[in-house]
């Protein structure tokens, strides 16, 4: 995986899946992607778009025009240049395992994530999560409610433990600082934050790491409800409260 930072905290990905063929995920800008294609002699065949926001799509039109690649997305109205509209459970023919589409409404109503299952060439699965799941966090509820977002996150949380998580922004430190503000005694989160501060290793994480340290995936646990001082709350109510607190953190 080639990770290309953009606009401070966005992450664009280039994934080579055979010989010199590659796909790009959420190219918010074009120039840096073209530069790497040239330097590494890669041929861009496909762009996967997780959602319509400009910071994930700004480079799509120009890349398509310059490379002739095919554009895949979950929204034809709001993402310009989509050649193939995808929905939940669709599979795209890429490499030997294919890319599976997982619909994840919440951040936007038409957000999708893309999952490459394990195969002989990749021992661990790969998941591109856009602005739905972040390392230690989740996206804002711009067009969805707490219920749709938490259901979307649970779909991702049920993927195999060793799945590598590549998200659309690196908000990792801030997310774990927020988590500690909610649960100051959570040793797993404290350890994770220390590790990250020391190594600078944020993305990718794994589904196991998210399931054990991402407070948004743990919102339904008795520990987290207690920390929020709402022990009787339904899981989705705890999630909604947590997301609201993060908005003003
Ligand atoms: Zn977004
Ligand atoms: Fe974004």
């Amino acid at each position: 995986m080639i990770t290309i930072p953009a606009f401070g905290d966005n992450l664009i990905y280039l994934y080579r899946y055979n010989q010199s063929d590659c796909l790009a995920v959420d190219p918010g800008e074009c120039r840096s992607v073209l530069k790497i294609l040239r330097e590494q002699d890669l041929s861009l065949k496909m762009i996967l778009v997780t959602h319509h926001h400009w910071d994930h799509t700004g480079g799509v039109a120009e890349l398509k025009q310059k490379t002739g690649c095919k554009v895949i997305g979950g929204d034809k109205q709001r993402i310009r240049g989509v050649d193939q509209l995808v929905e939940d459970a669709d599979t795209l023919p890429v490499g030997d395992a294919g890319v599976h589409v997982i619909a994840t409404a919440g951040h936007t109503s038409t957000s999708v994530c893309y999952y490459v299952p394990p195969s002989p060439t990749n021992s661990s699965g790969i998941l591109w999560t856009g602005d739905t799941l972040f390392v230690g966090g989740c996206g804002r509820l711009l067009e969805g409610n707490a219920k749709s977002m938490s259901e979307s996150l649970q779909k991702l949380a049920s993927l195999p433990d060793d799945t590598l998580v590549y998200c659309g922004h690196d908000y990792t430190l801030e997310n774990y600082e927020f988590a500690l503000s909610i649960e100051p005694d959570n040793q797993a989160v404290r350890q994770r934050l220390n590790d990250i501060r020391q190594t600078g290793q944020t993305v990718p994480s794994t589904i196991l790491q998210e399931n054990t340290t991402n407070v948004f995936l743990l919102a339904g646990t008795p520990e987290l409800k207690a920390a929020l001082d709402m022990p009787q709350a339904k899981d989705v109510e705890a999630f909604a409260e947590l997301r609201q607190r993060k908005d003003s953190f």
Side-chain angles (χ1 to χ4, degrees):
M1 190 78 62
I2 301 168
T3 301
I4 308 169
F7 319 124
D9 53 50
N10 272 82
L11 299 170
I12 301 170
Y13 300 105
L14 272 182
Y15 174 64
R16 176 189 207 136
Y17 56 87
N18 66 37
Q19 303 289 339
S20 60
D21 292 345
C22 71
L23 60 78
V25 181
D26 284 357
E29 61 137 18
C30 176
R31 264 180 54 159
S32 54
V33 176
L34 284 176
K35 181 164 175 277
I36 290 181
L37 292 174
R38 224 176 9 247
E39 283 170 3
Q40 309 210 10
D41 211 9
L42 293 168
S43 162
L44 184 66
K45 297 294 182 193
M46 192 182 288
I47 292 174
L48 306 179
V49 179
T50 62
H51 67 293
H52 69 281
H53 290 154
W54 70 271
D55 59 314
H56 302 255
T57 56
V60 170
E62 197 177 344
L63 280 170
K64 179 176 171 176
Q65 187 225 323
K66 295 219 157 108
T67 65
C69 69
K70 192 172 163 185
V71 180
I72 313 291
D75 189 326
K76 258 196 158 160
Q77 271 77 50
R78 299 189 292 182
I79 304 166
R80 263 200 260 155
V82 168
D83 299 295
Q84 185 179 345
L85 182 68
V86 289
E87 55 182 49
D88 194 46
D90 282 354
T91 303
L92 303 161
V94 170
D96 40 34
V99 172
H100 295 235
V101 177
I102 304 173
T104 49
H107 177 62
T108 73
S109 60
T110 52
S111 289
V112 296
C113 296
Y114 297 97
Y115 173 60
V116 182
S119 71
T121 45
N122 287 324
S123 59
S124 302
I126 291 168
L127 179 67
W128 291 289
T129 60
D131 290 358
T132 297
L133 173 68
F134 295 129
V135 176
C138 77
R140 286 175 186 263
L141 307 181
L142 299 180
E143 297 175 5
N145 51 31
K147 183 169 180 287
S148 61
M149 182 57 124
S150 60
E151 284 169 4
S152 295
L153 290 173
Q154 289 311 321
K155 284 193 203 175
L156 305 180
S158 69
L159 291 170
D161 278 350
D162 64 346
T163 305
L164 298 167
V165 176
Y166 292 91
C167 52
H169 293 264
D170 193 344
Y171 297 142
T172 310
L173 281 175
E174 177 195 313
N175 287 335
Y176 284 123
E177 279 158 8
F178 168 71
L180 276 187
S181 79
I182 301 289
E183 281 190 296
D185 298 328
N186 186 321
Q187 291 311 315
V189 170
R190 192 168 290 278
Q191 184 62 49
R192 181 96 169 99
L193 183 57
N194 284 342
D195 289 349
I196 286 169
R197 281 193 178 130
Q198 263 166 29
T199 62
Q201 291 284 339
T202 54
V203 181
S205 69
T206 64
I207 286 295
L208 178 64
Q209 280 174 319
E210 296 310 312
N211 274 326
T212 47
T213 62
N214 186 321
V215 280
F216 293 94
L217 298 182
L218 297 166
T221 61
E223 292 80 7
L224 213 103
K225 287 179 189 172
L228 291 170
D229 203 17
M230 44 197 305
Q232 308 297 335
K234 295 201 177 96
D235 294 5
V236 68
E237 292 167 349
F239 176 81
E241 171 66 20
L242 198 59
R243 187 54 259 184
Q244 218 158 50
R245 291 200 199 181
K246 178 66 170 63
D247 287 343
S248 52
F249 179 66

